[in-house]
Amino acid sequence: MPGTFDDLYFYEAVVRNRGFSAAGRELGVAKSVLSRRVRNLEERLGVRLIERNSSHFEVSEIGRDVFRHAQAAKLEMEEAARVAAQVAGEPRGLLRVSVPPGAPAEIVSNGLETFLGQHPKVRIQLIVTHRRLDLIEDRIDIAIRARSDFSGETDYVVKRLGAIRFGFVASPRLIAGRAAMSDLDDLRGLPMLGRDDMHSEEVLLLQGPHGEEQRFRIEPRVASNSINVVLDAARRGLGVGFLPKVITAAPIADGELVPLLPDWQGPESVFHIAFTSRRAMLPAVRLFVDFISERLKHLFTDH
């Protein structure tokens, strides 16, 4: 058949749910992705499968025939997966997992002994990086990351864990004797800490008290792609850090750090686990996502 199985899979869900929005909610896939996949299938087959506009959804006669074949193909694939699972007997195979440095990487790393002890036939490659990896091109099974912009990632399933906001913090001794800060210009005379280990300057995107956005340029005194290194430098008074509030809450409560200019913070990011729908069929992927999400959620407790 000229169309791909994925296109048939999405088309079957759209027809069964009588619409793109309902199918998207069921599959965890954006409506725009489903619409594109159905158009691809129509182009490959050279026929119109669905007549649609803002108020009308109708499956063509040939579309109903294709739907029946798509249902049959889906059932055959599900049966093949069940047979394979019975043969496999237990989760197995290699999982490639990407995770940002710092607390998330430590939590995942600390959980490996338990998970691998429970599932001895699973192998894991852990890629610790801030780089925005493509799950398909970089062969990533599971990506743990924070994003404020999900454009270009609508083909992925996203399991949201919590929201992250960045804010300015400093050691009390670094700002001792200084007047109370009320504006970004008050930071100009203080050393700054950064997270870009490739460039001498960084630009921080900030949101102000009234929702206004501003770009704030800094020349860090110390920079590292490890959040833990930057946090430790802030504690030691080496500069002002711009760090996630989920990891500065405890040092602030202990008096090691104080918040600066709380009305200015970074855009909200969603901390999440991403994976492709096809990979989610694998027992090892499902089990690891469930296993690690419970541990990562503790980052957001009481914050």
Side-chain angles (χ1 to χ4, degrees):
M1 186 177 239
T4 67
F5 178 80
D6 278 356
D7 290 340
L8 284 171
Y9 177 81
F10 289 128
Y11 172 72
E12 186 274 342
V14 169
V15 175
R16 178 166 43 81
N17 283 279
R18 297 295 301 170
F20 292 89
S21 297
R25 287 191 294 270
E26 176 185 288
L27 300 176
V29 176
K31 178 181 175 181
S32 60
V33 173
L34 293 177
S35 181
R36 186 176 72 247
R37 290 302 192 108
V38 171
R39 283 198 304 271
N40 290 344
L41 184 60
E42 289 176 328
E43 290 172 2
R44 291 191 179 101
L45 296 176
V47 294
R48 188 73 167 174
L49 300 174
I50 299 174
E51 300 292 338
R52 55 200 184 274
N53 55 41
S54 59
S55 59
H56 182 72
F57 180 96
E58 186 64 37
V59 182
S60 68
E61 183 176 1
I62 185 64
R64 289 191 289 271
D65 289 337
V66 173
F67 171 67
R68 287 192 289 271
H69 287 290
Q71 278 189 313
K74 178 186 174 186
L75 290 173
E76 287 294 330
M77 179 60 73
E78 290 173 348
E79 183 59 28
R82 281 193 292 271
V83 170
Q86 291 173 355
V87 172
E90 62 182 299
R92 66 179 66 208
L94 175 65
L95 292 183
R96 282 174 50 81
V97 181
S98 70
V99 61
E106 290 182 7
I107 290 172
V108 174
S109 177
N110 291 339
L112 291 182
E113 181 179 3
T114 299
F115 183 82
L116 294 176
Q118 295 170 349
H119 308 291
K121 294 185 179 179
V122 174
R123 297 179 295 127
I124 292 177
Q125 289 181 346
L126 195 61
I127 300 96
V128 181
T129 180
H130 280 302
R131 285 198 305 117
R132 186 168 180 159
L133 300 178
D134 183 282
L135 271 67
I136 297 173
E137 291 185 5
D138 295 305
R139 299 180 296 107
I140 301 298
D141 297 302
I142 300 168
I144 300 162
R145 53 197 179 184
R147 292 284 183 269
S148 56
D149 178 12
F150 283 85
S151 60
E153 299 192 355
T154 50
D155 287 326
Y156 304 153
V157 179
V158 171
K159 184 168 186 175
R160 299 179 180 229
L161 301 175
I164 291 178
R165 283 273 195 177
F166 280 67
F168 292 106
V169 293
S171 165
R173 64 177 178 272
L174 180 69
I175 60 171
R178 297 181 66 94
M181 296 186 183
S182 59
D183 189 83
L184 288 172
D185 287 337
D186 295 330
L187 293 176
R188 301 290 182 189
L190 290 170
M192 303 296 296
L193 305 175
R195 294 179 54 209
D196 187 339
D197 60 348
M198 298 296 292
H199 304 94
S200 61
E201 291 187 349
E202 295 181 35
V203 177
L204 308 179
L205 179 61
L206 305 175
Q207 290 182 345
H210 305 293
E212 67 273 30
E213 288 193 351
Q214 183 166 329
R215 295 181 181 276
F216 187 67
R217 186 177 298 276
I218 63 173
E219 294 184 3
R221 183 183 188 186
V222 175
S224 173
N225 66 349
S226 168
I227 286 181
N228 284 347
V229 170
V230 179
L231 178 65
D232 186 61
R235 281 191 179 117
R236 295 173 183 272
L238 299 181
V240 175
F242 189 63
L243 292 164
K245 295 182 179 182
V246 294
I247 70 166
T248 59
I252 289 173
D254 293 340
E256 294 180 298
L257 295 173
V258 293
L260 306 179
L261 301 175
D263 288 338
W264 288 93
Q265 54 188 348
E268 184 177 278
S269 295
V270 176
F271 193 69
H272 62 279
I273 302 175
F275 47 95
T276 65
S277 57
R278 285 182 297 177
R279 298 298 291 170
M281 294 172 60
L282 297 178
V285 172
R286 292 199 307 270
L287 287 168
F288 192 77
V289 168
D290 291 341
F291 177 84
I292 208 62
S293 64
E294 289 304 312
R295 284 154 177 77
L296 290 169
K297 283 179 181 177
H298 292 303
L299 282 172
F300 305 93
T301 304
D302 300 327
H303 301 311

